[in-house]
Amino acid sequence: MDELPIGRRVAYWRGRRKMSQQVFADRLGKSKSWVDKVERGVRRLDKFSVVYEIADVLQVDVQLLLGKDVERRPETQNCIDQVEVEEIRAALERYDQMSAFFQAVPHSPPLAEMHKAVSHAWLTYQHAKYGVLARMLPKLLRDAQAADSAYATGAEAKDAAHLLGQVYQIASSALRKVGEHELSWLAADRSIAVSQRAGDQLLAGLASFRVGSALLALGRVRPALEVNVNIANRLAPAYEPAHKGERLSVYGMLLLNGAMAAARIGDSATVRDLLCGAEQASLELGGDFNHYWTSFGPTNVLLHRCAAAVELGDGRAAVDTHEKLDVVGFNALLPERRAHHFLDIARGYTQIGNIEKASEMLLEGDRLAPSEIRCRPLAHEVLSDVLRRTRGTPPAPIAELAEQMGVGV
């Protein structure tokens, strides 16, 4: 997009922000005609003050409007910035499968290399290294798409499709973390179709889980609840021993995600039923495992009990459950899951008015996995709430964290 005139870039970002020309003009204090002329290149933008104002309204770095590389500040290195989001979007917009229908794919990495790269990407996500993941995702998406096309008709077709399905899910999860919910939904939806070609019901179940998570983030709560519960019912563990642990894990995560959706609409009875079902699955599983990268088990069920209580506005129940957590089991979980819980329980403490403990939880999460706290819009909201309700000057660690996150004290 660098070679486009600035007016076209303005039009592009206005469209991305889903603003009409009239709304955009109103926010700038200009006329709709002025905006139209700028976007068509009839009117020049020759004042930097106006360019900066446009960038502020569009919530983009001014360098993007000027067609220049964004200078990344050191504290944003572990987050996903706008440039990286656009690179991921560009990779998702490719349709290599259709090109392969007409001609052979020129290059595809060996599947053995792809397996290693996908496993590395999952671990990077579960260690909450979102900036690192964002920088590897565009190439990983292109490679996985090329492999899926290259092996589409061979004996390795299902293996290649399986890998692409996983990459779409990784992208969906990472994009949802940083607030790119529409793009997260697109990647998750892509994973469903690819997972079906891979012939793996559990991968398709997890793709449905990602779709449900994206829908929930978009505020589409009832569809999120329905997709999780419907697929969970179809994946209810059968009696065959093969892959029982994996099936229990995917089934349990669907129930947990459904419980979070039910909590969002205040349906406490459904929350209770789904959490009980997940707890039963975790007990049958017999421990905390990371089958299919789910981190499912009794400990994760308890973390979701806390999170669901927070969504229901019952901070006291969330805190009580948190205080009963098995420390050994909790510490064995990967950093993303633990830091996510610290963010949830910080919200719980704010609900009962314990701002000091809420601050401690945010700092614990930041020490464990900085990206989970510093990169997530939800964490910014919680920190803002903590600062607003802190009497007097905030403690130095919280004030420092707020400064690093760009949250006003």
Side-chain angles (χ1 to χ4, degrees):
M1 197 170 68
D2 292 354
E3 68 278 5
L4 292 178
I6 187 170
R8 292 281 300 279
R9 287 194 288 271
V10 169
Y12 170 79
W13 283 105
R14 178 181 60 76
R16 282 287 317 281
R17 299 298 181 243
K18 294 182 170 59
M19 287 186 207
S20 66
Q21 283 189 338
Q22 186 62 63
V23 170
F24 182 46
D26 291 344
R27 293 184 183 180
L28 282 172
K30 304 286 187 181
S31 68
K32 180 181 176 183
S33 173
W34 184 91
V35 171
D36 181 64
K37 288 177 181 177
V38 165
E39 293 184 349
R40 289 190 291 113
V42 175
R43 186 182 187 101
R44 292 180 60 189
L45 287 176
D46 48 11
K47 290 184 179 180
F48 278 109
S49 59
V50 176
V51 176
Y52 275 100
E53 189 177 358
I54 289 173
D56 185 55
V57 170
L58 294 175
Q59 296 181 326
V60 299
D61 192 293
V62 70
Q63 300 298 322
L64 284 179
L65 289 183
L66 296 172
K68 299 178 181 178
D69 291 335
V70 175
E71 182 181 350
R72 296 185 172 111
R73 297 174 298 171
E75 63 265 29
T76 66
Q77 287 296 310
N78 288 323
C79 292
I80 303 177
D81 64 25
Q82 293 164 340
V83 173
E84 290 156 350
V85 167
E86 289 310 305
E87 289 174 350
I88 294 170
R89 179 187 300 277
L92 286 170
E93 288 173 347
R94 293 165 61 94
Y95 286 86
D96 287 350
Q97 292 90 340
M98 284 301 297
S99 298
F101 181 74
F102 298 100
Q103 60 186 32
V105 178
H107 169 72
S108 171
L111 291 185
E113 289 184 12
M114 286 298 305
H115 276 282
K116 292 178 182 178
V118 171
S119 294
H120 178 58
W122 273 121
L123 288 172
T124 303
Y125 172 77
Q126 292 192 321
H127 282 82
K129 304 291 186 182
Y130 302 138
V132 175
L133 181 60
R135 288 183 277 281
M136 70 169 70
L137 265 176
K139 182 178 186 302
L140 187 59
L141 279 162
R142 290 191 296 269
D143 287 348
Q145 290 164 341
D148 183 53
S149 298
Y151 298 102
T153 58
E156 297 168 304
K158 289 187 175 182
D159 192 18
H162 202 286
L163 289 167
L164 179 57
Q166 290 184 65
V167 176
Y168 280 142
Q169 292 193 36
I170 297 168
S172 175
S173 299
L175 290 162
R176 179 174 49 83
K177 287 281 189 181
V178 297
E180 291 288 339
H181 304 319
E182 292 280 0
L183 207 51
S184 172
W185 186 15
L186 171 64
D189 187 69
R190 290 271 182 87
S191 182
I192 286 183
V194 176
S195 299
Q196 290 173 332
R197 285 198 287 106
D200 187 337
Q201 288 186 348
L202 300 185
L203 186 66
L206 272 181
S208 302
F209 167 87
R210 311 290 172 196
V211 167
S213 296
L215 287 171
L216 186 57
L218 285 164
R220 303 287 297 162
V221 183
R222 291 194 181 278
L225 175 59
E226 289 173 5
V227 71
N228 280 286
V229 173
N230 287 344
I231 302 303
N233 288 338
R234 286 161 175 73
L235 281 179
Y239 290 105
E240 68 270 11
H243 308 296
K244 185 175 182 181
E246 290 89 341
R247 182 173 286 267
L248 282 166
S249 296
V250 175
Y251 168 75
M253 287 306 298
L254 285 162
L255 294 181
L256 291 178
N257 212 17
M260 295 306 301
R264 185 73 62 86
I265 55 176
D267 187 350
S268 56
T270 299
V271 171
R272 183 175 59 252
D273 290 345
L274 294 175
L275 286 175
C276 286
E279 181 179 28
Q280 184 177 352
S282 74
L283 294 175
E284 191 173 349
L285 183 62
D288 298 305
F289 296 94
N290 199 20
H291 296 309
Y292 272 73
W293 310 98
T294 57
S295 291
F296 181 73
T299 305
N300 205 353
V301 172
L302 285 175
L303 300 195
H304 278 78
R305 282 193 181 278
C306 293
V310 170
E311 286 294 335
L312 289 167
D314 192 351
R316 173 52 59 192
V319 168
D320 289 345
T321 303
H322 166 73
E323 292 175 346
K324 295 173 186 175
L325 282 176
D326 173 57
V327 176
V328 175
F330 179 71
N331 288 338
L333 293 177
L334 288 160
E336 179 274 335
R337 191 83 284 278
R338 285 184 284 156
H340 188 151
H341 172 70
F342 283 130
L343 178 55
D344 286 334
I345 210 64
R347 295 173 65 203
Y349 276 117
T350 62
Q351 288 176 352
I352 63 174
N354 194 335
I355 304 305
E356 182 179 353
K357 289 294 290 184
S359 299
E360 288 180 17
M361 294 299 99
L362 287 173
L363 292 171
E364 283 290 333
D366 185 61
R367 279 190 285 268
L368 176 65
S371 294
E372 181 66 15
I373 303 301
R374 302 186 186 199
C375 302
R376 295 193 61 190
L378 176 60
H380 285 242
E381 293 175 14
V382 176
L383 181 55
S384 294
D385 189 30
V386 165
L387 292 171
R388 186 174 62 253
R389 297 170 64 180
T390 298
R391 294 182 178 180
T393 304
I398 280 290
E400 182 181 351
L401 178 61
E403 182 179 358
Q404 293 169 339
M405 291 173 61
V407 177
V409 178

Coordinates of all heavy atoms in Angstrom, one line a residue, residues 32 42 53 64 82 86 88 99 105 112 119 148 153 175 257-258 270 288 295 306 321 338 341 345 349 359 371 385 387:
K32 N -18.2 16.8 4.1 CA -18.1 15.5 3.4 C -17.5 15.7 2.0 O -16.7 14.9 1.5 CB -19.5 14.9 3.2 CG -19.5 13.6 2.4 CD -20.9 13.1 2.3 CE -20.9 11.8 1.4 NZ -22.3 11.3 1.2
V42 N -8.1 15.1 -5.4 CA -8.4 16.4 -6.0 C -7.8 17.5 -5.1 O -7.3 18.6 -5.5 CB -9.9 16.6 -6.2 CG1 -10.2 18.0 -6.7 CG2 -10.4 15.6 -7.2
E53 N -4.0 15.1 12.5 CA -5.4 15.0 13.0 C -6.1 13.8 12.3 O -6.9 13.1 13.0 CB -6.1 16.3 12.6 CG -7.5 16.5 13.3 CD -8.1 17.8 13.0 OE1 -7.4 18.7 12.4 OE2 -9.3 18.0 13.5
L64 N 2.0 5.5 8.7 CA 1.2 4.7 7.7 C 0.5 5.5 6.7 O 0.4 5.2 5.5 CB 0.2 3.8 8.5 CG 0.7 2.6 9.3 CD1 -0.4 1.9 10.0 CD2 1.4 1.6 8.3
Q82 N 0.1 -2.3 13.9 CA -0.7 -2.2 12.8 C -0.1 -2.7 11.5 O -0.7 -3.3 10.7 CB -1.1 -0.7 12.6 CG -2.0 -0.2 13.7 CD -2.0 1.4 13.7 OE1 -1.2 2.0 13.1 NE2 -3.0 1.9 14.3
E86 N -1.6 -5.8 9.2 CA -1.8 -5.7 7.8 C -1.1 -6.8 7.0 O -1.6 -7.3 6.0 CB -1.4 -4.3 7.3 CG -2.4 -3.2 7.7 CD -3.8 -3.6 7.5 OE1 -4.2 -3.9 6.3 OE2 -4.6 -3.5 8.4
I88 N -0.5 -9.8 8.2 CA -1.2 -11.0 8.5 C -2.5 -11.0 7.6 O -2.9 -12.0 7.0 CB -1.6 -11.2 9.9 CG1 -0.3 -11.4 10.8 CG2 -2.6 -12.3 10.2 CD1 -0.5 -11.2 12.3
S99 N -5.3 -20.7 -7.3 CA -4.2 -20.7 -8.3 C -3.7 -22.0 -8.6 O -3.4 -22.3 -9.8 CB -3.1 -19.8 -7.7 OG -3.5 -18.5 -7.4
V105 N 2.0 -25.2 -7.9 CA 2.6 -24.3 -7.0 C 4.1 -24.3 -7.1 O 4.7 -25.4 -7.1 CB 2.2 -24.7 -5.5 CG1 2.8 -23.8 -4.5 CG2 0.7 -24.7 -5.4
A112 N 7.8 -31.9 7.0 CA 8.5 -32.1 8.2 C 8.9 -30.7 8.8 O 8.8 -30.5 10.0 CB 9.8 -33.0 8.0
S119 N 4.5 -26.2 15.5 CA 4.7 -26.5 16.9 C 5.4 -25.3 17.6 O 5.0 -24.9 18.7 CB 5.5 -27.8 17.1 OG 4.9 -28.9 16.6
D148 N -0.5 -26.7 1.5 CA -1.9 -27.3 1.3 C -2.2 -27.4 -0.2 O -2.8 -28.4 -0.6 CB -2.9 -26.4 2.0 CG -4.3 -26.9 2.0 OD1 -4.5 -28.1 2.3 OD2 -5.2 -26.2 1.5
T153 N -3.5 -33.2 -3.8 CA -4.0 -34.4 -4.4 C -3.2 -35.7 -4.0 O -3.5 -36.7 -4.5 CB -4.1 -34.3 -5.9 OG1 -2.8 -34.0 -6.4 CG2 -5.0 -33.2 -6.3
L175 N -4.9 -12.8 16.9 CA -5.6 -11.6 16.5 C -6.7 -11.2 17.5 O -6.9 -10.0 17.7 CB -6.2 -11.8 15.1 CG -5.1 -11.9 14.0 CD1 -5.7 -12.5 12.7 CD2 -4.6 -10.5 13.6
N257 N -15.9 -22.8 26.9 CA -16.1 -21.6 26.0 C -17.6 -21.3 26.0 O -18.0 -20.1 26.0 CB -15.6 -21.8 24.6 CG -15.1 -20.6 24.0 OD1 -14.8 -19.6 24.6 ND2 -14.9 -20.6 22.7
G258 N -18.4 -22.3 26.0 CA -19.8 -22.1 26.1 C -20.3 -21.5 27.4 O -21.1 -20.6 27.4
T270 N -27.1 -22.1 32.9 CA -26.4 -22.8 31.8 C -24.9 -22.8 32.1 O -24.1 -23.7 31.8 CB -26.6 -22.1 30.5 OG1 -28.0 -22.2 30.2 CG2 -25.8 -22.7 29.4
D288 N -4.0 -32.4 34.2 CA -3.8 -31.2 33.3 C -2.9 -31.6 32.1 O -1.8 -32.0 32.4 CB -3.3 -30.0 34.0 CG -4.2 -29.5 35.1 OD1 -5.4 -29.3 34.8 OD2 -3.7 -29.4 36.3
S295 N -4.4 -27.1 26.9 CA -4.2 -26.8 28.3 C -5.4 -27.2 29.2 O -5.7 -26.5 30.1 CB -3.8 -25.4 28.6 OG -2.5 -25.1 28.0
C306 N -13.5 -19.1 37.7 CA -13.2 -17.7 38.1 C -13.7 -16.7 37.1 O -14.3 -15.7 37.4 CB -11.7 -17.5 38.4 SG -11.1 -18.4 39.8
T321 N -12.7 -18.8 44.7 CA -12.2 -19.9 43.8 C -10.7 -19.8 43.6 O -10.0 -20.7 43.7 CB -13.0 -20.0 42.5 OG1 -14.4 -20.1 42.8 CG2 -12.5 -21.2 41.7
R338 N -1.8 -18.7 32.6 CA -1.7 -18.1 34.0 C -1.9 -16.6 34.0 O -2.6 -16.0 34.8 CB -0.4 -18.5 34.6 CG -0.3 -20.0 35.1 CD 1.0 -20.2 35.7 NE 2.1 -20.4 34.8 CZ 3.4 -20.2 35.1 NH1 3.7 -19.8 36.3 NH2 4.3 -20.4 34.2
H341 N -5.4 -15.6 33.6 CA -6.1 -15.7 34.8 C -5.9 -14.5 35.7 O -6.8 -14.0 36.4 CB -5.7 -17.0 35.5 CG -6.3 -17.1 36.9 ND1 -7.7 -17.3 37.1 CD2 -5.7 -17.0 38.1 CE1 -7.9 -17.3 38.4 NE2 -6.7 -17.2 39.1
I345 N -8.8 -12.3 37.4 CA -9.0 -12.2 38.8 C -8.7 -10.7 39.2 O -9.3 -10.3 40.3 CB -8.1 -13.2 39.6 CG1 -8.7 -13.6 40.9 CG2 -6.7 -12.6 39.8 CD1 -10.0 -14.3 40.7
Y349 N -11.3 -8.7 41.7 CA -10.9 -7.9 42.8 C -11.5 -6.5 42.7 O -11.9 -5.9 43.7 CB -9.4 -7.8 43.0 CG -8.8 -9.0 43.8 CD1 -7.9 -9.9 43.2 CD2 -9.2 -9.2 45.1 CE1 -7.4 -11.0 44.0 CE2 -8.7 -10.3 45.9 CZ -7.8 -11.2 45.3 OH -7.3 -12.3 46.0
S359 N -4.4 -4.5 41.7 CA -3.1 -4.0 41.2 C -2.0 -5.1 41.3 O -1.2 -5.3 40.3 CB -2.6 -2.8 42.0 OG -3.6 -1.8 41.9
S371 N 3.3 -9.5 27.5 CA 2.4 -9.2 26.3 C 0.9 -9.5 26.6 O 0.1 -8.8 26.1 CB 2.8 -10.1 25.2 OG 4.1 -9.8 24.7
D385 N -9.4 1.3 35.1 CA -10.3 1.2 36.2 C -9.6 1.3 37.6 O -10.0 2.0 38.5 CB -11.2 0.0 36.1 CG -12.3 -0.1 37.1 OD1 -12.8 1.0 37.5 OD2 -12.7 -1.2 37.5
L387 N -6.6 2.6 38.2 CA -6.1 3.9 38.4 C -7.2 4.9 38.8 O -7.0 5.8 39.7 CB -5.4 4.4 37.1 CG -4.1 3.7 36.7 CD1 -3.7 4.2 35.3 CD2 -3.0 4.0 37.7

